[in-house]
Amino acid sequence: MTLPIQEHKYAVKTVIVPAAGMGTRFLPATKTVPKELLPVVDTPGIEMIAEEAASLGATRLAIITAPKKQGVMAHFDPYPELEETLSERGKEEQLAKVRRAPELIKAVAVEQERPLGLGHAVGLAEAVLDEDEDVVAVMLPDDLVLPTGAMEKMAEVRAQFGGSVLCAVEVPLEEVSNYGVFDIEECGEDHVKKVRGMVEKPDAEDAPSNFVATGRYLLDREIFDALRKIKPGKGGELQLTDAIELLIEDGHPVHILVHDGIRHDLGNPGGYIRACVDFGLKHPVYGKGLKHYITELLAESDS
Ligand code: G1P
């Protein structure tokens, strides 16, 4: 049983988390360990997403998963044997850590049998939505958007302007070809822009701006109709970007919230290491020692 939509802060019940990718940039680790389970200090990326979804008031995480990635779902199952052992040994802190993921949110699996693209993955989640859901959130687990709270701000933008709202960051023009890029116009708010169009991974010279999509979407339910209409796009895949472009062409309002905090890309080793250092330095137990160690290392490499 799910709660009626009125009982959800921000009217978001379901967060879709595409997690079916092969993690090729992270091999060999991802040969058997799903990328979403790699820890930032001690917490898997997927649990950080679950925490963000729960604080948005969502109660369902629709995880798009591939046949060989069952470990991601297992992270949201109770583990009675381990819990019993930890409890018998009085390890309360560890017990709370084991129980945390399933307590945060109800995770449901949506299997994507073949890698047909982000648009295809998101489209599959329609099957688990309730009838009273008019808006759905998508969070890409590769992207950590910090400080958290961007989705809440996006929900406020939606309340003001209606339609769909995406999170954006500015990147140097030479990096735009890695992202969905926005064609934008001002709308009278500092951190909000109206989207005139969106294009997936254009060359720098064709890019309409250097404002790019960063893994957080608040989408009107109409997105599923648009996803049914699109044809394979960039890379031969069904692109979420193309469905959003279609919504805009149909006159549907789309805005971006420009995020001015940090964004970590957990999807490649370079971004992942940065996230580990960032969280490691802020960690109450490991932070001090890590700072000392890094300072020493840097001094050595300078001399
Ligand atoms: C996806 C989206 C892209 C977006 C990016 C953010 O690309 O297709 O529009 O800008 O996530 O991380 P991917 O990184 O999966 O290739």
Side-chain angles (χ1 to χ4, degrees):
M1 262 306 278
T2 53
L3 293 170
I5 201 70
Q6 308 81 267
E7 296 193 25
H8 289 72
K9 192 164 81 173
Y10 303 113
V12 179
K13 205 185 257 197
T14 303
V15 172
I16 302 172
V17 184
M22 290 184 291
T24 45
R25 287 180 294 177
F26 247 116
L27 286 166
T30 45
K31 184 177 170 189
T32 56
V33 180
K35 169 176 77 169
E36 297 77 14
L37 291 182
L38 298 177
V40 177
V41 184
D42 58 4
T43 306
I46 192 81
E47 187 170 320
M48 298 170 103
I49 291 283
E51 187 179 358
E52 193 179 332
S55 64
L56 180 68
T59 45
R60 182 193 287 130
L61 210 56
I63 302 182
I64 317 300
T65 177
K68 284 206 158 175
K69 293 183 73 179
Q70 296 311 316
V72 176
M73 296 314 298
H75 188 68
F76 291 91
D77 288 341
Y79 194 161
E81 301 85 347
L82 179 59
E83 288 172 35
E84 211 175 293
T85 308
L86 290 172
S87 176
E88 278 165 15
R89 296 182 187 174
K91 294 192 178 294
E92 295 304 320
E93 200 182 316
Q94 288 85 343
L95 183 61
K97 287 186 181 189
V98 171
R99 288 183 172 157
R100 185 162 180 265
E103 279 171 4
L104 276 171
I105 201 157
K106 167 116 183 84
V108 295
V110 179
E111 203 154 292
Q112 185 188 32
E113 280 168 18
R114 287 184 301 143
L116 300 177
L118 179 60
H120 178 253
V122 169
L124 294 172
E126 188 182 17
V128 305
L129 299 187
D130 294 333
E131 271 179 21
D132 63 359
E133 292 182 79
D134 297 332
V135 61
V136 72
V138 177
M139 293 185 188
L140 305 188
D142 275 0
D143 289 315
L144 279 187
V145 179
L146 302 167
T148 50
M151 291 297 289
E152 283 86 337
K153 287 192 201 148
M154 287 159 61
E156 284 159 17
V157 175
R158 177 177 149 84
Q160 189 180 350
F161 292 97
S164 301
V165 183
L166 285 73
C167 187
V169 289
E170 277 191 271
V171 297
L173 208 50
E174 58 272 22
E175 289 174 23
V176 291
S177 60
N178 298 316
Y179 301 97
V181 183
F182 300 108
D183 180 10
I184 48 174
E185 63 187 40
E186 297 299 329
C187 66
E189 297 278 328
D190 255 7
H191 288 93
V192 184
K193 319 258 177 229
K194 184 171 168 45
V195 182
R196 282 193 297 232
M198 188 177 179
V199 43
E200 181 70 6
K201 304 195 174 91
D203 292 336
E205 55 272 27
D206 303 326
S209 76
N210 65 332
F211 287 84
V212 304
T214 182
R216 298 290 181 276
Y217 308 75
L218 207 49
L219 301 168
D220 247 61
R221 197 176 178 127
E222 276 100 319
I223 192 69
F224 295 105
D225 295 330
L227 285 167
R228 271 185 282 277
K229 289 183 196 151
I230 56 167
K231 302 268 179 291
K234 193 85 186 182
E237 296 189 338
L238 291 168
Q239 296 292 350
L240 182 58
T241 294
D242 294 344
I244 294 166
E245 167 69 17
L246 207 59
L247 285 183
I248 300 167
E249 283 170 14
D250 283 351
H252 179 105
V254 177
H255 290 80
I256 51 171
L257 171 79
V258 182
H259 176 70
D260 61 1
I262 296 169
R263 169 189 174 256
H264 289 304
D265 180 1
L266 299 183
N268 71 81
Y272 175 79
I273 293 167
R274 286 184 191 202
C276 292
V277 172
D278 186 10
F279 278 76
L281 285 173
K282 288 175 186 145
H283 195 278
V285 178
Y286 310 121
K288 211 168 150 208
L290 181 62
K291 186 175 176 191
H292 186 71
Y293 180 65
I294 292 176
T295 312
E296 264 183 11
L297 269 186
L298 291 176
E300 254 173 52
S301 72
D302 283 349
S303 62

